[in-house]
């Protein structure tokens, strides 16, 4: 490839990469530091994956480092289960953090920072109720009003704040507020809360504290303590930036800077942890890792690879304006990866028996099939037993086949994958008119790899030998919601759940080479899609989750109109 060609194929920089390159070129920083700051109040979802890929990706690209910081300033909703799952997910996505940190480790420093602001006359203890504070704040068109507490002396504030910490007051009795500007057009600057009283056990600090810093007084300060150069968050924090800068300036600490990008929204799902928790608590799904969820844990269980998720994040890029990304793009990305890497096997999901009437009774041939035609040397091969009676898909036979049906119907020929060409000779029905058996004759000189029959067939179907088949459970998933953007519909988002999002097939026949399939392994079942062995699958009871079909069936439907 010519140098010119390479150049045109290079992707242009996104706006954050441009900022970083400028900062490095101007000498503002010699190396960059980013962080991924999840609140451990739920499992990570695909939106977080975008933030992870962005933060870790920038540092990797520019030789910087990334901290994993748990934003654990709210004792009530947080839990160690979430901390563990977040660590597992970030690692699984393929990233290594420089330091594992907790905002709660900074509680003492943050307390000292607050004292510093009190001493500067820039913070005060307020006894007002939340309603009073809200009322005094004014409206975007009307300035707020100060109250009697705003003029408390530094000494009184220091004393009261120390007593807040000591536990002298009940929840909600007092708050610490920054004294900024009650007339600011930015409502976040109208004397925002810094600390609230909450007599609650924290998952790390236990009962050491009964006052907890608010997001705005914890986040930027934590960034600063860690010398984060580029603090990247989502666009809803744009109005917080002014306050972020104000605290850092008044505290005279390391000047971290905040940059905002558009959060990822995806069709046919919801992306807020609160809503996902509701689905879990209401048992609409089977836990956070139910393969229909948009969580990383669910995508992993469903068979997504870290590579496919990174590819997806790369393809959607980084924007400043919010948009809705099509779920089919995520599915496209996993197909790209699995087509290259998944092991091929045969499984019959909706079985009907095919009897090859001219094949010797009791005879078994060991045929061979490539594990993966996309891999070098076909990825090796596995033995596949062939015999007189086979399972085939019910849909591969038709009593009255239309023209161009290149599968089975009386008089039609197909190739059985890796095996022989067969010609359908008849079928049997039960009393209810259901086809129970299909009959065919095989052409003995048409064996794959040694075909001297000179017969041309248009179709190839998959099969499993009846006497050698294993049974498995297969779970087919569909999108979790019936509408594109359930969060934007009228009423409760849960009214838009797709009732057919899970279909369980109890008796699927699979080829014997799958006997040792273990949890997490990924396969392509020929003509049926990509499947992953479920985490609860055992040798005695094999369970497969369908990751995605081979083709985008929704795109087809959309075209049909
Ligand atoms: P949620 O609204 O789902 O609860 P959150 O923003 O409260 O998410 P955090 O744990 O605070 O969740 O998020 C950690 C980081 O991930 C933040 O920097 C946040 O901006 C980012 N993030 C969260 N959701 C998305 C999303 N949908 N797209 C991109 N980044 C996101
Ligand atoms: Mg949050």
């Amino acid at each position: 490839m010519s140098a010119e060609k390479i150049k045109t194929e290079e992707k242009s920089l996104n706006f954050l990469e441009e900022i970083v390159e400028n900062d490095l070129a101007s000498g503002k920083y010699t190396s960059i530091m980013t962080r991924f700051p999840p609140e451990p109040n739920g499992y990570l979802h695909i939106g977080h994956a975008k933030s992870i890929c962005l933060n870790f990706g920038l540092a990797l690209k520019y030789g910087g480092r990334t901290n994993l910081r748990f934003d654990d300033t709210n004792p009530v909703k947080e839990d160690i289960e979430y901390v563990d799952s977040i660590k597992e997910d970030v690692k699984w996505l393929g990233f290594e953090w420089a330091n594992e940190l907790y905002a709660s480790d900074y509680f003492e420093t943050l307390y000292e920072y607050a004292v510093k602001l009190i001493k500067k006359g820039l913070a005060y203890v307020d006894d007002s109720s939340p309603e009073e504070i809200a009322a005094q704040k004014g409206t975007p068109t009307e300035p707020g009003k100060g109250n009697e507490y705003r003029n408390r002396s530094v000494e009184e504030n220091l004393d009261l704040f120390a007593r807040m910490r000591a536990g002298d007051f009940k929840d909600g009795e007092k708050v610490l507020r920054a004294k900024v500007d009650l007339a600011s057009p930015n409502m976040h600057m109208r004397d925002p809360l810094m600390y609230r009283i909450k007599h609650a056990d924290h998952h790390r600090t236990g009962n050491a504290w009964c006052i907890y810093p608010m997001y705005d007084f914890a986040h930027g300060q934590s960034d600063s303590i860690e010398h984060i150069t580029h603090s990247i968050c989502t666009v809803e924090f744009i109005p917080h930036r002014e306050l972020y800068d104000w605290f850092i300036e008044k505290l005279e600490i390391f000047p971290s800077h905040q940059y905002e990008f558009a959060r990822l929204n995806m069709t046919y799902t919801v992306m807020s942890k609160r809503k996902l928790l509701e689905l879990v608590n209401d048992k609409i799904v089977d836990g956070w890792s139910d393969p229909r969820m948009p969580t990383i844990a669910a995508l992993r269980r469903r068979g997504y690879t870290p590579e496919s998720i990174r590819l997806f994040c790369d393809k959607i890029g980084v924007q400043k304006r919010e948009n809705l990304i099509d779920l089919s793009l995520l599915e496209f990305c996993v197909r790209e990866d699995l087509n290259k890497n998944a092991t091929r096997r045969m499984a019959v999901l909706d079985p009907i028996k095919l009897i090859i009437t001219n094949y010797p009774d009791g005879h078994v041939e060991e045929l061979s099939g490539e594990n993966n035609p996309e891999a070098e040397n076909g990825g090796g091969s596995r033995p596949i037993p062939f015999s007189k009676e086979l399972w085939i898909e019910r849909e591969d036979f038709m009593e009255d086949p239309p023209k161009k049906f290149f599968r089975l119907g009386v008089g039609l020929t197909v190739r059985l994958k890796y095996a022989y060409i067969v010609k359908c000779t008849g079928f049997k029905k039960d009393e209810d008119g259901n086809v129970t058996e299909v009959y065919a004759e095989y052409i003995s000189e048409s064996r794959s790899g040694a075909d001297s029959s000179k017969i041309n067939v248009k179709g190839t179907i998959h099969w499993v030998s009846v006497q050698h088949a294993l049974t498995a459970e297969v779970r087919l998933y569909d999108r979790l919601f019936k509408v594109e953007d359930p969060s934007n519909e009228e009423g409760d988002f849960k009214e838009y759940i797709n009732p057919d999002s899970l279909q369980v097939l109890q008796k699927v026949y699979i080829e014997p080479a799958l006997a040792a399939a273990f949890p997490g392994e990924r396969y392509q079942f020929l003509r049926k899609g990509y499947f992953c062995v479920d985490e609860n699958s055992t040798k005695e009871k094999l369970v497969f989750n369908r990751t995605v079909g081979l083709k985008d069936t929704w795109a087809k439907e959309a075209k049909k109109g």
Side-chain angles (χ1 to χ4, degrees):
M1 207 186 285
S2 70
E4 210 176 356
K5 183 89 191 288
I6 292 172
K7 198 143 193 207
T8 53
E9 282 185 1
E10 233 172 60
K11 271 175 60 179
S12 58
L13 298 180
N14 67 48
F15 76 96
L16 289 167
E17 290 169 333
E18 272 177 22
I19 290 170
V20 169
E21 290 204 357
N22 285 337
D23 287 349
L24 290 171
S26 72
K28 182 172 176 188
Y29 302 115
T30 49
S31 73
I32 65 160
M33 189 87 207
T34 61
R35 87 287 172 262
F36 173 63
E39 187 181 348
N41 62 349
Y43 280 59
L44 297 181
H45 51 60
I46 184 76
H48 293 112
K50 176 172 177 176
S51 174
I52 292 168
C53 289
L54 183 55
N55 279 296
F56 283 89
L58 272 178
L60 278 171
K61 180 163 180 181
Y62 295 104
R65 298 190 308 151
T66 306
N67 285 342
L68 173 61
R69 183 203 312 142
F70 291 98
D71 199 347
D72 58 348
T73 53
N74 185 351
V76 188
K77 288 189 281 172
E78 296 162 1
D79 197 275
I80 190 76
E81 175 198 347
Y82 299 135
V83 169
D84 292 341
S85 75
I86 289 168
K87 282 161 61 177
E88 183 183 356
D89 290 349
V90 175
K91 260 190 236 159
W92 180 78
L93 280 173
F95 298 107
E96 266 177 60
W97 49 86
N99 306 289
E100 176 186 334
L101 301 163
Y102 295 80
S104 57
D105 289 343
Y106 308 138
F107 280 169
E108 192 62 49
T109 308
L110 293 173
Y111 181 84
E112 284 161 20
Y113 284 171
V115 167
K116 184 169 174 180
L117 290 182
I118 293 174
K119 286 183 178 160
K120 283 184 151 191
L122 293 174
Y124 61 99
V125 174
D126 193 327
D127 303 1
S128 311
S129 67
E131 296 74 32
E132 284 164 342
I133 289 177
Q136 290 160 6
K137 264 201 166 174
T139 65
T141 51
E142 214 180 292
K145 284 197 241 2
N147 59 28
E148 64 204 276
Y149 310 112
R150 199 170 199 260
N151 299 320
R152 274 181 165 148
S153 69
V154 169
E155 288 66 37
E156 191 184 359
N157 280 320
L158 286 174
D159 174 59
L160 287 172
F161 188 49
R163 288 173 55 201
M164 277 171 66
R165 175 180 183 166
D168 287 1
F169 307 113
K170 289 201 281 290
D171 286 12
E173 234 177 274
K174 291 188 168 28
V175 291
L176 184 73
R177 295 176 73 177
K179 197 177 197 171
V180 190
D181 178 5
L182 285 168
S184 171
N186 181 349
M187 298 296 284
H188 291 274
M189 299 300 277
R190 296 191 184 177
D191 289 14
L193 301 199
M194 291 167 61
Y195 271 90
R196 64 203 185 295
I197 301 173
K198 231 176 214 177
H199 291 270
D201 259 14
H202 184 278
H203 73 104
R204 294 190 85 239
T205 57
N207 58 8
W209 293 87
C210 62
I211 55 171
Y212 291 95
M214 305 298 291
Y215 171 87
D216 284 315
F217 191 64
H219 202 89
Q221 287 44 258
S222 303
D223 284 342
S224 180
I225 291 168
E226 295 171 21
H227 285 208
I228 300 302
T229 54
H230 300 80
S231 173
I232 298 161
C233 62
T234 42
V235 287
E236 66 273 21
F237 288 98
I238 290 176
H240 296 250
R241 195 201 309 139
E242 195 179 351
L243 183 57
Y244 183 104
D245 292 340
W246 188 88
F247 279 130
I248 283 180
E249 185 201 316
K250 300 301 173 195
L251 287 167
E252 301 163 75
I253 53 181
F254 180 86
S256 296
H257 289 281
Q258 175 185 305
Y259 302 92
E260 307 87 9
F261 72 102
R263 58 192 296 127
L264 166 67
N265 302 302
M266 206 167 61
T267 54
Y268 301 107
T269 192
V270 291
M271 208 78 97
S272 107
K273 281 184 280 191
R274 181 181 61 73
K275 288 183 180 146
L276 296 174
L277 182 62
E278 246 180 274
L279 295 176
V280 172
N281 286 343
D282 295 0
K283 302 213 171 357
I284 291 170
V285 294
D286 182 19
W288 286 95
S289 66
D290 182 307
R292 291 167 293 179
M293 293 277 271
T295 58
I296 309 291
L299 291 168
R300 174 169 59 234
R301 184 167 174 191
R302 181 143 171 187
Y304 276 77
T305 58
E307 292 77 13
S308 64
I309 294 175
R310 294 202 303 261
L311 177 66
F312 172 72
C313 291
D314 192 48
K315 279 194 183 294
I316 57 179
V318 185
Q319 287 87 25
K320 291 188 190 178
R321 290 258 298 282
E322 283 207 20
N323 55 1
L324 192 60
I325 301 284
D326 212 311
L327 172 62
S328 60
L329 180 62
L330 182 62
E331 297 184 335
F332 168 85
C333 291
V334 75
R335 269 190 214 105
E336 283 275 297
D337 186 10
L338 294 178
N339 178 46
K340 276 191 226 113
N341 300 310
T343 303
R344 271 58 169 177
R345 292 290 181 259
M346 293 196 287
V348 177
L349 273 52
D350 181 15
I352 183 173
K353 201 181 266 181
L354 172 71
I355 300 173
I356 303 172
T357 51
N358 63 340
Y359 195 82
D361 285 338
H363 186 56
V364 177
E365 268 178 275
E366 193 170 276
L367 305 176
S368 160
E370 279 185 338
N371 284 326
N372 181 357
E374 300 286 322
E376 222 174 287
N377 301 323
S381 62
R382 84 281 189 185
I384 310 170
F386 182 84
S387 65
K388 187 182 180 90
E389 297 195 354
L390 309 173
W391 295 117
I392 61 167
E393 297 288 347
R394 185 167 289 277
E395 64 180 16
D396 283 339
F397 171 81
M398 280 182 92
E399 225 179 307
D400 293 305
K403 267 190 195 162
K404 297 199 174 166
F405 184 72
F406 301 124
R407 291 175 271 170
L408 287 173
V410 175
L412 300 182
T413 17
V414 284
R415 172 168 298 279
L416 298 171
K417 183 74 183 174
Y418 311 119
Y420 296 96
I421 293 172
V422 294
K423 180 170 189 174
C424 183
T425 53
F427 59 93
K428 191 167 114 186
K429 276 189 186 178
D430 64 13
E431 289 155 9
D432 303 326
N434 299 312
V435 176
T436 53
E437 283 176 359
V438 177
Y439 307 112
E441 289 180 356
Y442 84 119
I443 317 286
S444 61
E445 62 277 14
S446 67
R447 203 171 106 174
S448 286
D451 183 358
S452 57
S453 70
K454 306 222 162 55
I455 301 174
N456 261 329
V457 287
K458 286 224 166 85
T460 300
I461 64 172
H462 61 278
W463 52 274
V464 177
S465 164
V466 170
Q467 81 180 92
H468 303 95
L470 306 173
T471 47
E473 177 178 310
V474 164
R475 299 174 187 163
L476 304 176
Y477 300 101
D478 200 348
R479 35 198 196 180
L480 189 50
F481 289 91
K482 292 180 289 191
V483 295
E484 277 206 339
D485 195 1
S487 305
N488 256 336
E489 295 284 341
E490 248 173 59
D492 189 65
F493 76 100
K494 295 197 291 308
E495 287 167 30
Y496 300 91
I497 290 278
N498 173 8
D500 304 316
S501 60
L502 170 63
Q503 191 192 349
V504 181
L505 306 177
Q506 296 287 359
K507 207 163 188 192
V508 166
Y509 292 113
I510 59 176
E511 61 168 280
L514 284 165
F518 59 85
E521 273 187 328
R522 302 181 185 93
Y523 293 96
Q524 182 194 97
F525 289 169
L526 297 186
R527 302 172 65 225
K528 287 288 144 191
Y530 296 100
F531 293 77
C532 179
V533 186
D534 188 67
E535 62 189 22
N536 295 327
S537 178
T538 61
K539 262 201 146 104
E540 290 67 43
K541 189 180 184 228
L542 285 163
V543 179
F544 293 86
N545 296 316
R546 179 153 74 186
T547 313
V548 67
L550 291 180
K551 291 193 197 95
D552 187 350
T553 51
W554 289 108
K556 248 196 283 173
E557 287 212 350
K559 256 188 218 152
K560 269 193 255 161

